[in-house]
Structure formats: structure tokens, C-alpha cells
Amino acid sequence: TGLDLPYVVSLRWQSMVEPQTYHALFTIPDWARAKMVERIPDQCPSGYHFDYREALTIGLAPGGVVKVWIMGPCLDPIEVLTLQAEIEPKGPYGGKSGGKYRPLSPVVKSYVDKYGVPYGSWWAPIPYTTVGL
């Protein structure tokens, strides 16, 4: 498309279950940017052809933990970085809600009440697959 790869990423999000609002600003390392433009022509078992790692995946976990991976079709994810976000002092909705968050759905509220917020847990992204293209 002619677009450059991201260099700096700024995120602001609300964790509804805590509830808390976070902000993170980070730079994509040069080695990861180089991996994304590295030509790796290959084919998925489905027959889909690809030439590059084409996805930057950002995971947000309870407590403001951020993980970033680069991914491509039928390739294992490569973890780029993990960082701790800062609490956003303005709170939800840029400070326009008076500090009030949307209520959790009954199903989510029931789960959180029973099991708590899963601080310290993490998942890895499922390898990127393309089927039927």
C-alpha cells in the first residue's frame, strides 16, 4: 500500500473489569521492523501464498500489561516486547464521565465475582492462519 511500518505506537484503553484506564507509548524496535520487511515467500497448508509478516498484534492484559508480537500467515508469532502501561489520570472517556465506567454484562460480572481479575496471567496469540482464500 506504500504505507510505512509503525515506529511509535500510543494506546489508551479502559479495562472494564478492574475498572481502570491505561496509557502506553512505545517504539517498535528496529529489529522487529526489519523482520516485517524481510521477504519470506511461502505457502500455507491451505494454499494461501504470502511474502511478509504482515501483522503487528497488541495484547492488553489486566493490570496494564502490554505485549506486542509480529505475525504472518502460517508463521509462529515473534514476541517483540512486554511493558507496563501507566494509569491514565483522566480516567474513562477522557475524563468526561466523572470517573464512571460502563457496567459489566451480567455474565462477565458473575465470572469476575467468582474468579476475580486474572492478574499475572497471559496468553500467546494463536498463530495467524488464513483459510479458504
Side-chain angles (χ1 to χ4, degrees):
T1 62
L3 295 174
D4 286 336
L5 294 171
Y7 181 70
V8 175
V9 177
S10 177
L11 301 170
R12 183 182 180 283
W13 76 96
Q14 298 175 40
S15 171
M16 305 301 281
V17 298
E18 293 180 78
Q20 191 62 263
T21 304
Y22 294 102
H23 178 258
L25 179 72
F26 58 90
T27 302
I28 303 299
D30 289 339
W31 69 264
R33 292 168 50 84
K35 279 274 193 202
M36 289 188 78
V37 297
E38 177 184 293
R39 192 165 164 78
I40 47 168
D42 208 343
Q43 181 177 330
C44 296
S46 67
Y48 176 73
H49 292 274
F50 63 94
D51 293 318
Y52 301 96
R53 289 175 180 87
E54 55 194 38
L56 180 70
T57 302
I58 301 172
L60 309 172
V65 176
V66 179
K67 280 196 178 188
V68 179
W69 297 268
I70 52 176
M71 299 170 62
C74 307
L75 298 171
D76 290 332
I78 299 172
E79 188 173 329
V80 175
L81 57 89
T82 300
L83 63 104
Q84 177 63 52
E86 297 178 4
I87 293 173
E88 171 58 59
K90 290 182 182 178
Y93 308 102
K96 296 177 184 171
S97 71
K100 294 184 181 178
Y101 289 80
R102 284 187 179 171
L104 298 176
S105 72
V107 171
V108 173
K109 182 170 179 3
S110 174
Y111 180 90
V112 172
D113 288 347
K114 184 174 181 178
Y115 299 105
V117 178
Y119 294 104
S121 66
W122 195 258
W123 55 272
I126 297 170
Y128 185 156
T129 57
T130 305
V131 178
L133 293 180

